[in-house]
Structures are given as structure tokens and as C-alpha cells.
Amino acid sequence: MTTMSAQEARDDGPLLTATGISHSYGDRIGCRDVTLDLWPGEVLGVVGESGSGKTTLLNCLSARFIPAAGALNYLLRTGETADVYAMGEAERRMLMRTDWGFVHQNPRDGLRMGVSAGANVGERLMAVGARHYGAIREQVTDWLGRVEMDLGRIDDLPTQFSGGMQQRVQIARNLVSGPRLVFMDEPTGGLDVSVQARLLDLLRGLTNDLGLSAVIVTHDLAVARLLSHRLMVMRRGEVVEQGLTDQVLDDPQHAYTQLLVSSVLQT
Amino acid sequence: MTAPATAQDSGYNFAYLDEQTKRMVRRAILKAVAIPGHQVPFGSREMPLPYGWGTGGIQVTASIIGLADVLKVIDQGADDTTNAVSIRRFFARTAGIATTEKTEDATVIQTRHRIPEMNLRDDQIIVYQVPIPEPLRWLEARETETRKMHGLADYGVMHVKLYEDIAKYGHIETSYDYPVLINGRYLMSPSPIPKFDNPKMHEMGALQLFGAGREKRIYAIPPYTRVESLDFEDHPFQVQTWGAVCAICGDGESFLDEVITDDQGGSMYICSDTDHCGRRVVAGHKGPGGPEEST
């Protein structure tokens, strides 16, 4: 059944199609002429050094801002393809909080720090019209459990949580509405290695189980190797190499990718 | 109770504000009435009292009041508190108009924190003093963002606050300034009236005007407009109850204030609406009396 629907989805074409995305900040180039397709269930990694335009690209792909040039098409649940940049603001907001998710590197950017973990997760449900407290509470509890949060802390403020816990609340907040596409900006940045490992395990499990599509920006090649099916390497705002993750990392073709891969500490 | 019109103090324009300013305020009021619940910016003036004491309400009242009007001013339901007395005297002096404490005699009622217990008629206007006009302010600090949220009717976050109340206290604890949805469209702060008064706003006969002087906003609810208090299906909106009656008039239905009477924890409940309470006493109703009468 699931394979059939995946097959059908594949027949419909890619979930997200970006064509010629270019954005610059005055004379500084953010990203230049990026074209990509993201298929249902696919996890795309974007790697590159600081300032290579990864986050700019992610912001353009997630329509957090509209680039100077380029087009972005998204396959809606209805089977129609929508031009995301041409949508009205209300429609785009609705899309962002139902079908999409955005996980920020710093949980403070993605959470309301003044309200409890439970309310943070429930906000999306209430934003699309859920008005039954008991039902909202049930879904919130379910999702906090799935990201392995201690349920006794559902009513605590995110400020009282560790960085790793905040990040898990942020992930639950994004997934509670059952999105089909999640954007992640360095989801494990700034966490210590053991917490990172658990979080990566969780993310891999969730993307596998839910058949989520995801775009993950990271500068950590190990994270990219673990999570992504396909990899894009960026440098100075341009995509210098792309392909299957293992292929890119094990047999890098571009000089910059070779440098990047060889710069990882070998143990 | 009703003081007749007196001579206006010389040296002031009628009702203190100059005519151009009143026109500007009236334009804002017209726009506010046309878009119920929408906050309209206006050029708020310096008034001879501090922000937070009703500068917004006074400017609205000054702009709509005429020689034939009779003004009532209440503060927390009472006609005889400092804020109410000063504002009433302000208009008696600067406009020379008649003032009253009787709700049914008033054509314009300026209020802080209460709506009179008596049903208001459609030939009356009630003016609210508003400290923070933006109901989303405590959830979203950016004005650019809250305006966008109003524009898109993107109000889910307001329920987050109510959710928090239930998660913390088991029920919706917000008891004043309880958010309302006007005519199914705009989310609005009813000013810090107790939620006890929220149902009175629904399809009220009188025109309701709201003025926020410091924040420079005016908004309005036209007569007979739908006003819904936000809630959850399994936690419906409810008003306060006291399990007590007014010590003076014995009313158990009106909004009661608890008054501390001594240092031993003694207290009594009395009607917050002094006009309502006085009317019941005249009609022969009697309450159980305060502790000082029983000793």
C-alpha cells in the first residue's frame, strides 16, 4: 500500500522543483543559479563551508524570503503544482504550517520561549483551527513521546531545558501537523556528540517512518552521510558538485569537494 | 445625582480639544466603526492628565460630545472614585455640559474597567479607556508582525495563551482583558474589563468606542454586532461567580468587589456598579450588611 502510494507520488513528479534560484545581498552573492528537484521521501543534504550560501539557499527554498530570481514549484496534496513565490501571503503561511516544517539551528529561533513545551507543539494545531483542548493535548503528548521527551516536563518552559531537549521540542513542533517536507538548518549544530548521535538517530527514524522529504543544511559531513540520500556541495554561492551521498563523499570529483572531504579528521 | 449644565470655563475650546483635532479623531472613529474591531491609528494629543489615566477615552469623548449630551463617567464601576470624579469635572468645566451618575440618563458613558450592569440602549455611546489595544502584544512583540497577523486573520497563537492557562490551572484563568472576536473577523482586546462583562458586549445596543491615548489607537464595535469570547470546545467560556451577595443591596447577580474591612481578614462583598447598587437600595432591597454592622 505504502509502496504503491510512493510509486504514484513518483509518477506525479518531484515534490519541490527549484529553477535558477539566485539571490545576492548588494554586491555579495548569496547563491547563484541553483536548480534542483526534490522527490517525495528523499532527503537532500547541502554541505559547504561557512558563507557558501547554504542558509541563503535554504531560506529561498522554504520561501522564508523570495529571491531576486528563480522559480519554486511545489506539488500540493491535491496533485496540483503551486508556484510558491506567486502565492498570496495567507496561502503561503498556511502551507508553511501544515505541509512544511522548518527546524532552526538555534531552537530559540524556532520556539516561543515564553510558553510551555506543550503549547509550543500545540500551536500549529491551534493555528489551523483545532479547538478541542483534550484532543490537542493528546496529540502533543504523543509527539513529545515520539521525540523521547520526559512527559513530566510537558508544561515546563523551553528556557528550563537543555539545548538538546529544546531541539527535540522544536522537531516535535514541526512534525505535529504531519508535514510532507521539512527544512533543517544545522539541526545538530552546537550539541555535544552523544546528544547529537541520539538526535540523528531520531531524525533518521522519523524521516524513514513518515516518508518525509527533507532538505538538510549542514557543514558536518558525518551528519550529511548519515541522514541524506543525495548531496549538494556549495561554494561561493554555487553548486559545485552533486550526486548520491556515498558517491560524492567517497569519490569526490571537484577540487573543492576533495579538499572538504580530506579535511575531516581521520581517527 | 444629575448635575445640570453649567457655564463653560473661559479660555478653552469646547471640550478642551481644538476643532481640527476633534475632526481628526472623528475620522478615525468613522473608520473604526466601518471596520469593527480593527485598530485605527490616530494623532493622540497631550492631555492634562498622565498616560494610563484615560487620555485615549477622554479624547474620544471630547470629539463626540455635544452641548445636549449628558455624561456619566465610571472607574471600576463606581461614579465616585478619583478618576471618574476628575474626568467628569473636566468635561463639566471645559464643555459646560450636564453630568449624571444614572446610567439610564446618560447619553455618553466613559468607563474604565467595567460595563454598567444595566442594558445600554442604541441612543447611548460607551467609551472605554484602553491601556494596551493589541491583544496579541504579550505573545508577539513586533508591531509589524501583529499587523500582518490581523491582516491575515492569523489568530492561532491567541489560543496558545488559553491552552497555557488550562495546562497550568486546569481552567482558563484569564479573568480580565479576555480576548474577543468581533463579527467573526478581528481579534480585539475588550480593554481590562472583567470577563464577567464580555457577554454584555455581544449585540449591545449602544455604540462601543475604545481609545488608547499612549498607544494612539482607536477601535469600535457598532451596535448589535457579534462579539465572541475565545474558548475551547471542552473548556467553554465562563464568567466569574462569587458564591456571595452584595452586603449593601443583596444582589447575587452583579459583579462584586471584595472589600477588606479590618486587619483580621474580615471582608465584605459589594456591587462594583455603584449606580446599580444604589438603585436597588432605593427599591427596598437589603443585603446582609458588612461586618461592622454585625459587631
Side-chain angles (χ1 to χ4, degrees):
Chain A
M1 184 66 198
T2 35
T3 48
M4 214 182 98
S5 59
Q7 185 59 48
E8 278 169 15
R10 194 155 278 265
D11 290 343
D12 282 343
L15 192 62
L16 190 75
T17 309
T19 323
I21 303 265
S22 298
H23 193 74
S24 54
Y25 306 95
D27 291 340
R28 308 271 172 276
I29 291 162
C31 62
R32 185 154 54 188
D33 201 22
V34 178
T35 296
L36 64 89
D37 288 336
L38 185 72
W39 293 82
E42 185 181 40
V43 179
L44 173 70
V46 181
V47 296
E49 61 194 3
S50 299
S52 60
K54 303 187 298 282
T55 299
T56 299
L57 176 64
L58 194 71
N59 284 331
C60 293
L61 291 179
S62 58
R64 282 160 57 78
F65 60 65
I66 298 195
L72 186 67
N73 289 299
Y74 178 72
L75 183 69
L76 298 169
R77 281 175 205 259
T78 54
E80 293 163 71
T81 303
D83 180 351
V84 180
Y85 295 149
M87 272 183 183
E89 173 103 25
E91 214 183 336
R92 194 158 58 228
R93 279 190 177 211
M94 189 51 123
L95 182 71
M96 282 175 165
R97 67 169 52 126
T98 52
D99 246 21
W100 290 8
F102 195 104
V103 178
H104 295 260
Q105 173 173 12
N106 188 342
R108 285 175 178 273
D109 298 333
L111 291 176
R112 281 184 200 280
M113 299 306 281
V115 301
S116 70
N120 264 295
V121 178
E123 182 180 339
R124 276 184 160 223
L125 300 172
M126 292 180 249
V128 295
R131 292 291 178 266
H132 191 283
Y133 175 80
I136 295 169
R137 186 81 173 172
E138 205 173 297
Q139 262 182 286
V140 166
T141 313
D142 176 40
W143 267 102
L144 285 175
R146 282 159 90 163
V147 297
E148 297 165 10
M149 281 287 292
D150 176 4
L151 293 180
R153 304 201 59 180
I154 180 170
D155 295 327
D156 289 354
L157 295 180
T159 44
Q160 299 162 336
F161 292 162
S162 69
M165 287 164 76
Q166 288 177 358
Q167 197 59 290
R168 276 181 276 163
V169 174
Q170 198 195 174
I171 289 167
R173 175 184 160 97
N174 275 287
L175 296 184
V176 70
S177 61
R180 297 195 299 154
L181 173 58
V182 179
F183 301 94
M184 300 190 203
D185 191 1
E186 306 272 9
T188 59
L191 301 174
D192 63 58
V193 197
S194 59
V195 177
Q196 237 185 63
R198 290 240 301 285
L199 201 62
L200 286 173
D201 209 29
L202 172 75
L203 283 176
R204 195 161 59 159
L206 288 174
T207 45
N208 278 345
D209 295 348
L210 304 171
L212 279 179
S213 302
V215 180
I216 298 178
V217 159
T218 179
H219 60 248
D220 187 336
L221 294 183
V223 169
R225 188 190 281 274
L226 197 64
L227 289 179
S228 57
H229 304 139
R230 203 151 58 87
L231 203 60
M232 270 172 55
V233 183
M234 290 188 76
R235 189 191 187 209
R236 293 183 190 156
E238 289 178 352
V239 177
V240 293
E241 185 167 353
Q242 57 178 316
L244 296 175
T245 303
D246 291 344
Q247 177 198 328
V248 171
L249 292 179
D250 294 341
D251 182 20
Q253 300 296 309
H254 191 273
Y256 174 71
T257 317
Q258 290 169 353
L259 178 71
L260 201 65
V261 171
S262 65
S263 302
V264 176
L265 282 177
Q266 304 294 326
T267 47
Chain B
M1 285 262 234
T2 302
T6 51
Q8 183 199 340
D9 271 14
S10 60
Y12 291 112
N13 190 36
F14 177 77
Y16 189 78
L17 289 177
D18 64 274
E19 293 305 316
Q20 287 304 318
T21 298
K22 287 197 242 176
R23 283 181 148 196
M24 175 271 294
V25 176
R26 284 177 203 139
R27 277 197 295 268
I29 292 173
L30 285 174
K31 182 168 177 182
V33 171
I35 315 172
H38 172 63
Q39 299 165 47
V40 181
F42 79 109
S44 180
R45 299 292 191 254
E46 281 296 322
M47 296 303 283
L49 83 170
Y51 286 137
W53 286 57
T55 51
I58 284 196
Q59 289 179 75
V60 171
T61 302
S63 306
I64 58 170
I65 210 156
L67 270 174
D69 276 312
V70 182
L71 178 70
K72 171 183 164 84
V73 184
I74 51 174
D75 171 10
Q76 303 277 8
D79 292 274
D80 53 4
T81 45
T82 313
N83 198 226
V85 171
S86 342
I87 293 175
R88 196 161 58 230
R89 197 162 54 199
F90 174 81
F91 281 113
R93 284 182 55 185
T94 59
I97 50 153
T99 58
T100 184
E101 295 188 2
K102 288 199 168 105
T103 306
E104 71 272 30
D105 291 348
T107 55
V108 176
I109 302 170
Q110 182 172 333
T111 175
R112 170 176 178 270
H113 295 195
R114 273 312 307 281
I115 298 175
E117 302 292 352
M118 182 182 278
N119 280 336
L120 300 182
R121 303 180 310 261
D122 57 14
D123 60 345
Q124 293 177 306
I125 298 176
I126 180 164
V127 178
Y128 298 78
Q129 302 170 196
V130 183
I132 311 276
E134 180 50 72
L136 299 163
R137 180 60 68 234
W138 303 117
L139 298 150
E140 176 54 64
R142 291 166 295 175
E143 174 74 12
T144 47
E145 183 61 20
T146 51
R147 283 200 204 184
K148 202 173 266 182
M149 289 160 88
H150 282 296
L152 301 170
D154 186 1
Y155 295 140
V157 66
M158 202 69 231
H159 272 85
V160 169
K161 184 171 182 293
L162 304 179
Y163 168 97
E164 284 284 84
D165 272 7
I166 303 173
K168 274 193 195 134
Y169 308 107
H171 59 268
I172 297 176
E173 179 66 13
T174 305
S175 58
Y176 66 97
D177 207 349
Y178 192 104
V180 289
L181 196 66
I182 307 302
N183 200 26
R185 175 58 180 84
Y186 279 97
L187 185 72
M188 192 195 88
S189 156
S191 86
I193 59 169
K195 65 178 171 185
F196 179 88
D197 286 341
N198 275 19
K200 293 180 194 156
M201 305 180 97
H202 178 61
E203 311 222 317
M204 182 192 275
L207 169 65
Q208 306 178 65
L209 301 176
F210 298 78
R214 182 184 47 210
E215 305 287 327
K216 304 175 173 55
R217 294 288 184 277
I218 284 173
Y219 52 98
I221 310 176
Y224 307 111
T225 301
R226 197 148 47 91
V227 178
E228 298 153 285
S229 304
L230 301 188
D231 60 2
F232 285 102
E233 287 159 19
D234 47 346
H235 287 269
F237 174 78
Q238 281 175 325
V239 299
Q240 300 101 314
T241 50
W242 285 263
V245 295
C246 171
I248 299 167
C249 76
D251 194 351
E253 307 280 289
S254 80
F255 189 87
L256 300 179
D257 286 336
E258 186 179 10
V259 182
I260 306 294
T261 49
D262 55 35
D263 289 344
Q264 275 73 52
S267 69
M268 61 196 263
Y269 287 93
I270 56 165
C271 287
S272 136
D273 186 338
T274 50
D275 174 51
H276 170 79
C277 196
R279 186 189 323 276
R280 279 177 56 87
V281 169
V282 169
H285 294 281
K286 215 167 147 25
E292 65 270 83
E293 283 178 42
S294 55
T295 50

